[in-house]
Amino acid sequence: CSEGGIGVSLAEMCLAGELGAAIQVAGIPAAQAGLDDATLLFSESLARFIVEVREGDRAAFEASLGAIPFHQIGRVTIEPELHIVCRTGTAMIAVADMDKAWSGSPHHEATSARINHNTARQQTAGTVTLSNTHPSGRRPRVLVMHAAGTNRDHDAALACELAGGEPEIVHVNQLAAGARRLSDYDMLVVPGGFSYGDDLGAGTLWALDMRHQLGESLAQFIAEGKPVLGICNGFQALVKAGLLPGALASIPADAASRMVTLAPNASGQFECRWVYLKPEPHSRCVFIAGLSELIYCPVAHGEGRVTGLDSSTMESLAAQGLIALRYVDANGEAVGYPGNPNGSVLNIAGLTNRAGNVLGLMPHPENHIFPWQHPRHTRGAGGMRGLELFINGIEHARKLAS
């Protein structure tokens, strides 16, 4: 059992075998410890295994375990349904429905059934009503760019969908070949991962694609004020393509791009942890407009240290409102390592361009879009979701088209 715990592991087994299962939550050994049903089913405690054993082999299998603790929690069924008998009731889901939720569908029916994108959304602090539609009645279209090695495409697409957009994951080669046109979309997301294996440095080859294959269309997209969000590897690509921070006062954009870079972490190692981000109140970035609450989300990178040629260059970023997000502690105060996981100068976590419609950041806001993704959710902690960045981006795209 790993991601999703026992509940998800059982669902995956049903999908793989196209069979069902009847499970008793009370049979899980930890049930005697007073844990609630949700914790028993979905906690991600390691060193646990679920094993299917033929009835005729049961005695021999149990004998082979010796002193290893075990317990029978249910049985496999021919009927393709997962029945889970909890202490507060019974839940049932058909394997066919689980398969649809897992694989998705051309029009995302599984997600759309849960969320009405054009009505009120339940937020931690209350209810926020967003129309998030073009005058034509459709939701803003979001292009989530994909390249070999990127792996946060679907996370970013789901965040855009929850925020009210209509995302489509498009390979960079489709854009280069003309199979898709960037101009047909209202927002662009360049997600995280390890594009092209980061063989020539993080985001370098992806940046070359952007400059040489998408140069004119991407420049036009940004010039029109359409929102662009680069996350982690996507941030690295935007910086190395010269799109962030862009022109610095009288310095040409191409020269400015060489004055700011993302270097290897000061710790000399890959950093994976949750961090607090503070929106800069004087930033011109549309993605953080009106945000005052901290954002809490994870980082996972080896080259995320924002630095420049000299201190005056870095100070000019602040003076021109190009710093969008900074690493802080839980109280919103300046912080050192590990709160600043990579040693970025001035605690910079995210940069914007002078127009404010391009944002790049190393942390992953798409991995904290649901309340239950907060690492201390079961202890009552909440709020500070990264979803707000996506909502602002979608809203800006909608207003731009009005």
Side-chain angles (χ1 to χ4, degrees):
C1 299
S2 57
E3 294 182 352
I6 288 176
V8 172
S9 296
L10 289 167
E12 290 174 340
M13 294 167 75
C14 290
L15 287 171
E18 297 183 343
L19 295 169
I23 305 299
Q24 298 281 340
V25 169
I28 300 174
Q32 311 309 318
L35 300 176
D36 61 79
D37 292 342
T39 301
L40 290 170
L41 285 170
F42 301 110
S43 62
E44 298 179 339
S45 307
L46 302 178
R48 300 179 299 167
F49 297 86
I50 300 176
V51 184
E52 301 171 55
V53 180
R54 284 190 293 266
E55 186 62 35
D57 296 328
R58 176 177 176 175
F61 175 76
E62 293 180 356
S64 70
L65 293 176
I68 298 174
F70 68 91
H71 203 284
Q72 181 181 359
I73 63 173
R75 59 185 177 83
V76 177
T77 64
I78 295 298
E79 299 78 16
E81 297 173 342
L82 175 58
H83 289 260
I84 300 180
V85 179
C86 301
R87 290 167 293 186
T88 56
T90 301
M92 187 281 288
I93 182 170
V95 172
D97 290 336
M98 290 192 292
D99 181 69
K100 178 184 287 187
W102 176 76
S103 62
S105 61
H107 302 292
H108 306 285
E109 289 97 339
T111 302
S112 298
R114 298 194 309 269
I115 304 160
N116 184 341
H117 301 286
N118 300 320
T119 57
R121 296 195 199 304
Q122 296 299 321
Q123 304 294 317
T124 303
T127 301
V128 178
T129 301
L130 297 171
S131 60
N132 283 328
T133 54
H134 277 298
S136 64
R138 66 174 176 83
R139 290 177 283 127
R141 296 186 66 193
V142 184
L143 189 152
V144 180
M145 193 184 297
H146 174 72
T150 56
N151 54 28
R152 302 296 182 103
D153 317 37
H154 291 277
D155 305 64
L158 178 58
C160 291
E161 192 164 19
L162 290 174
E166 183 179 324
E168 180 183 359
I169 298 173
V170 177
H171 198 283
V172 64
N173 290 348
Q174 290 178 281
L175 291 168
R180 295 289 188 278
R181 294 188 308 173
L182 186 57
S183 59
D184 291 335
Y185 298 83
D186 307 297
M187 177 171 162
L188 170 65
V189 177
V190 189
F194 299 92
S195 59
Y196 303 109
D198 287 347
D199 288 335
L200 298 181
T204 300
L205 290 176
W206 207 0
L208 290 173
D209 276 343
M210 290 182 184
R211 293 180 65 176
H212 298 289
Q213 297 194 66
L214 310 175
E216 290 186 12
S217 60
L218 187 52
Q220 181 64 28
F221 191 92
I222 294 172
E224 291 175 356
K226 293 182 178 181
V228 177
L229 177 62
I231 304 169
C232 196
N233 194 234
F235 180 23
Q236 295 162 339
L238 291 177
V239 169
K240 293 176 182 181
L243 301 174
L244 278 175
L248 300 179
S250 60
I251 304 173
D254 59 342
S257 68
R258 295 192 297 271
M259 298 180 71
V260 178
T261 191
L262 287 156
N265 298 342
S267 64
Q269 62 186 15
F270 188 89
E271 296 289 341
C272 184
R273 65 183 76 249
W274 282 66
V275 296
Y276 294 95
L277 309 177
K278 182 177 182 179
E280 278 292 286
H282 303 298
S283 173
R284 61 188 72 200
C285 181
V286 300
F287 287 91
I288 65 169
L291 300 186
S292 57
E293 185 182 42
L294 301 184
I295 295 171
Y296 191 46
C297 59
V299 296
H301 60 256
E303 295 180 48
R305 178 166 55 95
V306 180
T307 187
L309 291 180
D310 51 52
S311 59
S312 62
T313 298
M314 304 309 291
E315 292 293 345
S316 71
L317 297 177
Q320 296 178 63
L322 303 184
I323 299 175
L325 298 159
R326 296 186 198 255
Y327 297 109
V328 293
D329 62 17
N331 298 314
E333 303 297 329
V335 68
Y337 182 82
N340 177 344
N342 46 50
S344 286
V345 176
L346 302 180
N347 279 27
I348 298 172
L351 293 173
T352 189
N353 62 339
R354 297 189 74 187
N357 63 314
V358 181
L359 170 66
L361 72 162
M362 286 310 300
H364 289 273
E366 77 279 18
N367 291 144
H368 188 194
I369 57 176
F370 296 107
W372 47 263
Q373 287 179 311
H374 192 295
R376 292 185 295 282
H377 170 65
T378 57
R379 303 173 193 173
M384 301 184 288
R385 285 187 282 171
L387 182 63
E388 304 301 329
L389 295 177
F390 293 91
I391 291 175
N392 273 357
I394 295 294
E395 183 68 5
H396 177 75
R398 184 191 65 79
K399 289 180 178 177
L400 198 64
S402 298

